[in-house]
Amino acid sequence: MRGFLKRDFYLLLPTLKIYGAIFAIMLVVSFFTDLGMSFFSVYVCILSMSGILGLFSYDEANQWQAYAAAAPGGRRGQVEARYALAMLLCAGMILLLLLSYLASRSDGEIMGMPFLYGGLGLLYAAIALPLCYRFGVHKGRMFIMTIVVISAVMGMAGSFAAEMSSTGGGDKFPIWLGVAALAVGILAILISKSITIRIMERKEL
């Protein structure tokens, strides 16, 4: 699994650098406009998880799944590496958002939000990854529509959470609620991984 994980990370690294520049610009915009941190958080969540989907284009272009099938335990190792990368990206996203919220809200307001977006990011990956492995990244309409719907739900959830946090004179967004959302995301990603492993095992038959 380590080899597959390193390969995915190195392929994703240029994209992460571009996203880092985008995040920096968006963070500045969020600080100095009325868009607020919810605008920044939604896009960090979507871009972080979308970056991982681009790896499937490399897989198809380089016949990487055929190579994985030829290696002992390769298909399973590839799937586990892809899911491990999704969880690492989610952890990095949560850390980035925590630091951003601390920098922008010194009173610690709505500090449960980064965990909420972490859970939404994992839910995004949990739905998207099995679809990519099952249908391929270019068999697009159902897959694309699903991603659009997920993105819309994430945006609505972020806006709703931000509205909740501002109700009642600036009360904090409950940390326990954010942690609960993260727990749901972790459960979803674990279930998704088992589904994807079964999908890949059927391809070997």
Side-chain angles (χ1 to χ4, degrees), residues 126-150:
I127 296 173
L129 289 176
L131 287 173
C132 284
Y133 277 110
R134 176 63 181 85
F135 299 106
V137 74
H138 297 299
K139 292 181 179 178
R141 292 184 180 178
M142 183 176 69
F143 169 74
I144 292 172
M145 286 300 297
T146 302
I147 298 301
V148 168
V149 170
I150 296 169

Side-chain angles (χ1 to χ4, degrees), residues 1 14 33 42 55 64 67 70 74 80 86 118 128 178 181 187 189:
M1 185 188 81
T33 67
V42 167
L55 295 173
W64 195 248
Y67 170 79
E80 290 179 344
L187 178 61
I189 207 78

Side-chain angles (χ1 to χ4, degrees), residues 26-40 105 162:
M26 290 170 55
L27 186 58
V28 171
V29 171
S30 297
F31 281 164
F32 295 103
T33 67
D34 294 332
L35 293 174
M37 286 299 296
S38 61
F39 168 81
F40 173 70
R105 305 175 186 274

Side-chain angles (χ1 to χ4, degrees), residues 1-125:
M1 185 188 81
R2 290 182 182 178
F4 289 110
L5 183 58
K6 287 178 65 177
R7 178 255 186 187
D8 283 355
F9 175 76
Y10 286 130
L11 287 174
L12 193 59
L13 190 57
T15 303
L16 292 178
K17 291 179 179 179
I18 295 172
Y19 285 174
I22 294 173
F23 293 161
I25 294 171
M26 290 170 55
L27 186 58
V28 171
V29 171
S30 297
F31 281 164
F32 295 103
T33 67
D34 294 332
L35 293 174
M37 286 299 296
S38 61
F39 168 81
F40 173 70
S41 300
V42 167
Y43 277 91
V44 168
C45 186
I46 292 174
L47 290 178
S48 296
M49 293 297 107
S50 294
I52 224 172
L53 302 185
L55 295 173
F56 287 92
S57 296
Y58 290 108
D59 291 347
E60 293 188 1
N62 300 320
Q63 301 297 316
W64 195 248
Q65 289 193 17
Y67 170 79
R75 285 192 187 274
R76 186 183 185 96
Q78 184 191 39
V79 169
E80 290 179 344
R82 193 66 48 91
Y83 276 86
L85 184 60
M87 297 190 75
L88 287 172
L89 284 175
C90 176
M93 176 179 66
I94 292 172
L95 179 60
L96 174 63
L97 291 179
L98 280 172
L99 293 175
S100 301
Y101 273 75
L102 285 171
S104 63
R105 305 175 186 274
S106 58
D107 58 354
E109 195 176 42
I110 63 172
M111 289 307 296
M113 291 288 287
F115 300 102
L116 170 66
Y117 283 108
L120 290 173
L122 288 177
L123 183 61
Y124 184 113

